[in-house]
Amino acid sequence: MNASSTRSKNSLKEVIAESLNNTSIKNFYTGTSQTVSSKHVLIMDEVDGMAGNEDRGGIQELIGLIKQTKIPIICMCNDRNHQKIRSLVNYCFDLRFQRPRVEQIKGAMMSVAFKEGLKVPPPAMNEIILGANQDIRQVLHNLSMWSARDKVMTYDQAKADANSAKKDIKMGPFDVCRKVFTAGEETAHMSLIDKTELFFHDYSLAPLFVQENYIHVKPAAAGNNVKNHLTLLSKTADSICDGDLVDRQVRSRQMWSLLPTQAVYASVLPGELMRGYMSQFPSFPVWLGKYSSTGKHDRIVQELATHMSLRTHASKQAVNLEYLPFLRDALVAPMQQRGTEGVAQAVQLVDDYDLIKEDVDNIMEISSWGGRPDPFSKLDPKVKAAFTRTYNKEVHLTPYSLQAVKKGRRATVTSIDPELGDGPGNEEDNEEEDTMDTDAMIKKKKVKVSKEAKQEGPADSGKHKGKGKGKGKGK
């Protein structure tokens, strides 16, 4: 079953589960009817394409078939890292096939050309295979097409035809990284332009992959000499640093014309220096995860500095370096030493610094070193539960809004104090009542004014005797 077949849960039950127990019509009429034997095999092609409504529940049903099958089931996929494959791979024997090398294809293609009466010199066959990007089917198609014109091919003719029929493919960052460093027939005849084009498959990710994986390459130029290996690593690191300086100019000053220069420093030179054998599969750049964590921690520290600003009057850097480690110890120490009796002191400290419960968790995360658990997690679960209950029982006043404040259309608002009278611009404010209503700060002042009016109400009750009941109250 291939990708063109409907492979949902119900269809797999109807078609496959039943066919595994069916007999062939020929054996039925001959009287030698048998169930599916060990000579049968089920091939599921492109299982990573089992997605969408048509194939809903197909992966889970396939896993169920694998658990109870009596015959081999072969599942083939193009993207091994696809999300759908992660659950399936736990029930399969994982066999990975790499793209065949030129040396592996060359002998078979020369045999085919000999049997078809086509004379192709071995160097010309190398160019044909490289032009097809090691695609065996494409090589056979090209040989079939060119043999109709002439049965004898020269090297120059084969190279020209291979360039004209070159297969353009989109390479992933892992393939690009492997091609930058791997030595072999496919990279031996690459020109400077070809090596630069590897960088432009993805100029944002390519330098990160090179920087992450160059230390895992065993360069052929070093031989077995450790000193030469360290020298090549040093030169490669210098070249990557130069590429990073160029990248800074490209990003900050929008000097995109420097991208070819960055390609030479960040990809071409490291590849030339470290070309050899990769000891492992290319690793994904950990810098992306570190950069994301840095941005998250920066936002957390800024939020903590804002919440404590009335108490500390310190900058974000000062809060991070001078306040957070001591706050962490001051919060945890009472509960570590006295257990539930120290919860009240910890909650009081949270209120003294205008913090909220989420800020406590953020302080523990920011002020702990990587790889070490925060001291709050080591507390007794009963003490942590008591801290949460005590905090939630009380009402905590903060000098900042805990909800998003809606901003009005205008930032400038004139006086709204009734004792000041109608100042300049009050008519405009009265016309835009919707703007005043959307401002949270103005709402607070309105409530305050109404309370003062209520307090003055009993003293001035004689003044309003002649007025309407509803009118005075509404005013």
Side-chain angles (χ1 to χ4, degrees):
M1 298 191 71
N2 54 25
S4 61
S5 306
T6 301
R7 298 180 289 184
S8 63
K9 181 177 180 180
N10 295 331
S11 64
L12 287 179
K13 279 184 177 180
E14 295 174 1
V15 179
I16 295 180
E18 294 181 4
S19 64
L20 291 181
N21 296 320
N22 282 349
T23 58
S24 64
I25 297 177
K26 177 183 177 182
N27 292 337
F28 181 79
Y29 281 108
T30 57
T32 58
S33 60
Q34 296 177 353
T35 56
V36 174
S37 66
S38 59
K39 294 183 180 180
H40 292 78
V41 63
L42 171 63
I43 297 179
M44 300 293 294
D45 192 13
E46 298 185 19
V47 289
D48 52 333
M50 294 176 65
N53 293 328
E54 294 182 355
D55 297 336
R56 186 177 299 276
I59 291 290
Q60 295 303 322
E61 181 64 21
L62 180 58
I63 292 174
L65 290 174
I66 291 173
K67 290 180 180 179
Q68 59 186 5
T69 183
K70 296 180 181 179
I71 65 170
I73 297 180
I74 299 175
C75 302
M76 295 187 288
C77 68
N78 295 323
D79 187 2
R80 170 61 181 76
N81 298 317
H82 195 276
Q83 188 175 3
K84 292 280 184 181
I85 308 300
R86 293 178 184 174
S87 57
L88 179 63
V89 75
N90 296 324
Y91 302 92
C92 301
F93 179 70
D94 194 6
L95 283 174
R96 303 196 183 191
F97 293 89
Q98 305 294 336
R99 183 180 298 278
R101 301 191 306 273
V102 176
E103 297 83 0
Q104 295 174 308
I105 309 174
K106 184 177 177 182
M109 295 300 102
M110 292 296 292
S111 299
V112 171
F114 176 77
K115 293 176 181 178
E116 295 293 332
L118 181 62
K119 293 183 179 181
V120 183
M125 183 62 72
N126 289 346
E127 296 296 333
I128 295 174
I129 295 173
L130 291 174
N133 198 34
Q134 291 104 294
D135 188 335
I136 299 175
R137 181 165 51 182
Q138 182 75 16
V139 172
L140 291 174
H141 287 172
N142 291 342
L143 289 175
S144 176
M145 179 177 61
W146 296 331
S147 64
R149 180 184 58 190
D150 193 359
K151 292 292 183 179
V152 179
M153 295 186 66
T154 62
Y155 174 79
D156 296 334
Q157 180 185 355
K159 187 175 181 179
D161 290 338
N163 289 332
S164 62
K166 192 172 183 179
K167 184 177 181 180
D168 295 326
I169 61 168
K170 176 65 176 176
M171 296 176 62
F174 294 95
D175 297 328
V176 169
C177 181
R178 192 184 296 109
K179 202 165 185 177
V180 166
F181 292 114
T182 305
E185 188 69 30
E186 54 183 309
T187 57
H189 302 290
M190 289 179 65
S191 63
L192 178 62
I193 301 299
D194 296 333
K195 294 173 182 176
T196 305
E197 286 180 354
L198 292 175
F199 172 83
F200 284 100
H201 278 278
D202 192 338
Y203 57 82
S204 297
L205 276 178
L208 295 177
F209 269 86
V210 170
Q211 184 269 335
E212 185 71 26
N213 293 281
Y214 79 96
I215 57 175
H216 303 305
V217 182
K218 296 180 180 178
N224 294 324
N225 192 325
V226 179
K227 182 178 179 181
N228 293 341
H229 190 180
L230 291 175
T231 303
L232 292 174
L233 285 173
S234 174
K235 292 181 179 179
T236 304
D238 292 339
S239 179
I240 292 174
C241 292
D242 293 338
D244 193 52
L245 294 175
V246 178
D247 180 67
R248 173 60 64 89
Q249 297 298 319
V250 171
R251 305 285 179 176
S252 61
R253 300 189 180 184
Q254 302 296 308
M255 301 175 66
W256 299 101
S257 59
L258 292 177
L259 276 179
T261 306
Q262 184 190 357
V264 173
Y265 282 120
S267 178
V268 177
L269 285 178
E272 287 298 311
L273 292 169
M274 298 295 297
R275 192 174 305 283
Y277 168 72
M278 290 197 70
S279 58
Q280 64 180 41
F281 187 79
S283 304
F284 192 80
V286 298
W287 181 88
L288 294 172
K290 299 292 185 183
Y291 183 74
S292 177
S293 300
T294 301
K296 173 189 171 184
H297 292 164
D298 185 74
R299 291 191 299 269
I300 290 175
V301 173
Q302 179 62 54
E303 185 178 353
L304 291 172
T306 304
H307 289 178
M308 297 189 298
S309 59
L310 294 181
R311 303 295 180 184
T312 60
H313 303 286
S315 63
K316 179 175 64 175
Q317 290 78 9
V319 167
N320 188 20
L321 296 175
E322 301 175 10
Y323 280 88
L324 295 187
F326 298 100
L327 274 175
R328 177 198 62 199
D329 297 337
L331 284 169
V332 176
M335 293 185 282
Q336 280 181 338
Q337 298 169 0
R338 295 184 292 161
T340 54
E341 296 179 359
V343 168
Q345 181 180 347
V347 173
Q348 184 60 42
L349 181 64
V350 171
D351 291 337
D352 290 342
Y353 279 89
D354 299 326
L355 298 173
I356 58 178
K357 179 64 172 61
E358 289 75 11
D359 292 336
V360 176
D361 300 331
N362 291 334
I363 289 175
M364 300 302 165
E365 180 183 356
I366 293 296
S367 60
S368 300
W369 290 95
R372 298 182 182 179
D374 62 87
F376 192 79
S377 63
K378 293 182 178 180
L379 293 175
D380 187 11
K382 295 181 180 179
V383 177
K384 291 192 286 186
F387 175 78
T388 304
R389 284 196 305 269
T390 305
Y391 182 86
N392 293 336
K393 280 181 183 178
E394 302 176 4
V395 177
H396 307 275
L397 300 178
T398 56
Y400 48 86
S401 175
L402 296 177
Q403 290 143 5
V405 179
K406 296 181 180 178
K407 294 184 179 180
R409 288 177 295 175
R410 287 199 170 192
T412 57
V413 181
T414 54
S415 173
I416 59 171
D417 195 340
E419 296 180 2
L420 296 178
D422 294 335
N426 278 357
E427 299 177 358
E428 185 177 335
D429 295 336
N430 293 334
E431 292 176 0
E432 297 186 356
E433 291 182 357
D434 55 341
T435 303
M436 295 169 62
D437 291 341
T438 56
D439 197 319
M441 300 304 294
I442 294 179
K443 284 183 180 179
K444 282 189 176 182
K445 290 184 179 180
K446 281 187 175 182
V447 173
K448 188 175 181 181
V449 171
S450 64
K451 287 182 180 178
E452 293 174 359
K454 285 184 179 180
Q455 292 175 0
E456 295 176 358
D460 300 337
S461 58
K463 298 179 182 179
H464 301 292
K465 284 184 179 179
K467 296 183 181 181
K469 298 179 181 178
K471 189 174 180 183
K473 188 176 182 181
K475 204 169 184 181

